[in-house]
Amino acid sequence: MKPSCWIPLLVSLAASVTALPKIDAVSYDGYKVLRINTNRRPSIVKEKLSSIPYEQWNHDVYGHIDILVAPNQVAAFETLDLDYQAMHEDLGDSITAESSPRSVWKRQAQDLSWYESYHTYEDHIQYFEDLQRSFPNNSELVSSGASYEGRDLYGLHLRGTSGPGKPAVLYHGNVHPREWITSPVVEYITLQLITGYTNGDSLILSFLDKYDFYIIPIVNPDGFVYSQISDRLWRKNRQPPPSSGNQSCIGRDINRNWEFAWDANPLGASTNPCSQSYKGEAPSDAPENQGLDKLVRQLRDGAGIKLYIDWHSYGQYILSPFGYKETLYAPELGKWTKAAGMVSETIRDSSDARTTFTFGPSGAALYPTTGAAPDHVYSIGRAEFSYTIELRDTGKFGFVLPPEQIRPTAEEQWEGQKVLLSLLDEEFFDGEGPA
């Protein structure tokens, strides 16, 4: 039975959102993004950096630290005598170039020029509506709740000829708004599933006949819209802060707001509403999380969740639970790691770019995270496979990935997903088969 929180959308998803005040755009003209070589001594680098204000972009700082520096701090930074290189000499110029359309999308689901530019929220909705119309008998447009500002957490439910009610594959895109690349990657995978099934591709037929796909390309729509009209580097949702706090500190990090292990490790999230990783006042107090979690529990109580992927950027990682404790390893870690290794190898060999992914348990391989989706969907949702995938790149461009990398990023991920989806029912380490 179709989960009741997934409401078929009979009208355009671009429907009414509460009118919001006009917002002035944040300018990043003259800002620099710099990669500092730590020489495996990050504490010394951080001590030097403490004399200037900056925003840190990455968390795995053993080898390098990526920072955003304002124009009026560049001279002071240069006096620190650090070993660095520029990722973005002028971030404002990079953002302008990123937003320039490379071609005209014909508003057809099969038009691959969609993957040559970044698009508005309204166009993303239109694109998923077009995809659904191209696959009417095996799909439906759905919503998994609403954002703080009233936008739908829209998505598609894809199924094979046997109808709904099979184990679920669940994808979440654009959890953090500034990670624009995640939505087109999820959309490209959706397109390939539809195209392959329509064309009778035996591999794709097997996927959709065995699993129901629930695909939400933008789970943080308020933040995504804000990142397009005001602040390109926005990370959180747009929920007001606690009434007793600084009222200018808007938003919760919805990937620190899930119920499981929400308060398990003080290093895994922030209690400061002004922080980029603010976890909220209570578990799942962000409306986006409430709708998403309702679906997770309903899928769990139905045919179960076979695979969950939370799509992010950047860094090129494939991460499994647990994130909240670096020394805690799930019983399934062996098969998760084997599968991630096979996906990584496939992605690397799929193109001349040789894109390479690091893989392993999230807390140990990257950094601790509490209230994170993959831990929750595994522990509460009982997903058999649960991952975070951090997309391109490893730091040349970071969050502001040029449009010409959209399609290559999506294509290599589709190659990886074909391998991963083929492994979901594999008996691992039995001496037979690929794993």
Side-chain angles (χ1 to χ4, degrees):
M1 179 179 293
K2 176 173 66 67
S4 60
C5 80
W6 280 72
I7 306 165
L9 303 182
L10 303 179
V11 295
S12 170
L13 283 162
S16 63
V17 176
T18 302
L20 299 172
K22 189 179 186 301
I23 299 170
D24 293 328
V26 174
S27 172
Y28 287 100
D29 291 346
Y31 280 71
K32 294 182 182 294
V33 181
L34 307 172
R35 167 160 288 184
I36 305 164
N37 184 359
T38 65
N39 295 307
R40 293 171 171 75
R41 302 173 75 183
S43 61
I44 294 176
V45 172
K46 284 197 166 188
E47 183 178 354
K48 288 187 175 183
L49 286 172
S50 65
S51 64
I52 65 167
Y54 66 92
E55 179 183 318
Q56 184 173 317
W57 272 23
N58 69 320
H59 292 271
D60 184 10
V61 299
Y62 186 62
H64 62 266
I65 301 176
D66 299 342
I67 65 170
L68 175 69
V69 180
N72 62 0
Q73 295 298 323
V74 171
F77 170 83
E78 290 174 345
T79 67
L80 301 179
D81 194 28
L82 294 168
D83 177 15
Y84 73 94
Q85 64 188 55
M87 293 164 57
H88 295 276
E89 283 286 359
D90 187 323
L91 184 60
D93 287 347
S94 298
I95 290 171
T96 299
E98 173 195 49
S99 302
S100 300
R102 297 300 194 273
S103 59
V104 177
W105 172 48
K106 299 175 183 177
R107 294 192 176 272
Q108 297 171 354
Q110 302 298 325
D111 180 10
L112 292 178
S113 68
W114 173 261
Y115 300 99
E116 296 175 5
S117 300
Y118 292 105
H119 301 276
T120 66
Y121 173 68
E122 290 75 18
D123 279 351
H124 280 288
I125 293 172
Q126 180 66 54
Y127 186 69
F128 249 43
E129 289 179 339
D130 291 346
L131 285 176
Q132 194 280 325
R133 279 192 289 268
S134 74
F135 201 50
N137 297 324
N138 297 85
S139 70
E140 60 182 339
L141 283 163
V142 288
S143 172
S144 184
S147 68
Y148 175 78
E149 292 177 350
R151 294 181 176 89
D152 282 299
L153 275 61
Y154 71 90
L156 267 177
H157 173 200
L158 307 180
R159 57 186 182 272
T161 53
S162 59
K166 301 179 292 297
V169 173
L170 176 61
Y171 294 147
H172 286 170
N174 218 273
V175 177
H176 293 140
R178 64 189 179 186
E179 298 164 11
W180 283 7
I181 184 60
T182 60
S183 295
V185 165
V186 170
E187 290 163 343
Y188 186 83
I189 293 168
T190 307
L191 172 64
Q192 296 308 313
L193 288 168
I194 290 172
T195 302
Y197 199 89
T198 302
N199 293 339
D201 183 297
S202 59
L203 182 63
I204 312 308
L205 288 170
S206 71
F207 295 159
L208 280 168
D209 287 339
K210 284 194 292 187
Y211 312 118
D212 281 4
F213 287 76
Y214 295 85
I215 302 166
I216 314 177
I218 302 176
V219 303
N220 188 350
D222 298 349
F224 179 66
V225 170
Y226 191 77
S227 76
Q228 292 195 316
I229 66 174
S230 181
D231 185 349
R232 175 62 184 85
L233 298 182
W234 191 256
R235 172 183 166 95
K236 300 186 284 184
N237 74 356
R238 294 295 299 163
Q239 193 170 350
S243 58
S244 59
N246 183 340
Q247 294 305 294
S248 68
C249 297
I250 301 296
R252 284 145 170 76
D253 181 346
I254 66 173
N255 199 37
R256 301 294 185 274
N257 192 242
W258 292 82
E259 176 186 324
F260 180 78
W262 178 78
D263 201 29
N265 182 343
L267 300 178
S270 177
T271 58
N272 178 1
C274 295
S275 168
Q276 294 274 33
S277 59
Y278 175 52
K279 66 182 183 178
E281 293 183 271
S284 204
D285 69 346
E288 295 86 355
N289 288 78
Q290 293 165 18
L292 296 168
D293 190 26
K294 184 176 181 181
L295 173 65
V296 165
R297 293 170 189 265
Q298 290 187 326
L299 293 176
R300 174 198 67 189
D301 296 341
I305 301 173
K306 182 65 72 169
L307 168 66
Y308 171 69
I309 297 180
D310 207 30
W311 297 89
H312 290 264
S313 74
Y314 62 97
Q316 297 173 196
Y317 291 91
I318 305 172
L319 304 171
S320 56
F322 287 102
Y324 78 93
K325 189 174 183 179
E326 300 95 318
T327 56
L328 181 63
Y329 306 117
E332 298 90 344
L333 181 59
K335 73 173 185 178
W336 291 343
T337 303
K338 177 67 174 179
M342 294 175 68
V343 171
S344 177
E345 182 178 354
T346 299
I347 292 171
R348 184 196 65 204
D349 294 343
S350 68
S351 74
D352 292 339
R354 305 287 289 175
T355 311
T356 302
F357 280 72
T358 301
F359 52 90
S362 178
L366 193 54
Y367 55 86
T369 54
T370 53
D375 283 7
H376 181 93
V377 180
Y378 165 66
S379 299
I380 301 297
R382 298 199 288 270
E384 293 186 35
F385 293 79
S386 186
Y387 293 106
T388 291
I389 295 184
E390 298 272 1
L391 298 168
R392 290 189 186 188
D393 57 7
T394 56
K396 183 176 181 181
F397 298 104
F399 299 118
V400 186
L401 195 69
E404 55 266 28
Q405 292 203 33
I406 297 172
R407 187 167 171 185
T409 302
E411 289 174 340
E412 68 190 14
Q413 288 304 316
W414 172 236
E415 294 304 315
Q417 286 302 289
K418 285 190 289 185
V419 169
L420 182 55
L421 293 168
S422 300
L423 292 172
L424 298 183
D425 289 325
E426 176 74 17
E427 186 68 36
F428 281 73
F429 312 121
D430 63 350
E432 301 178 9

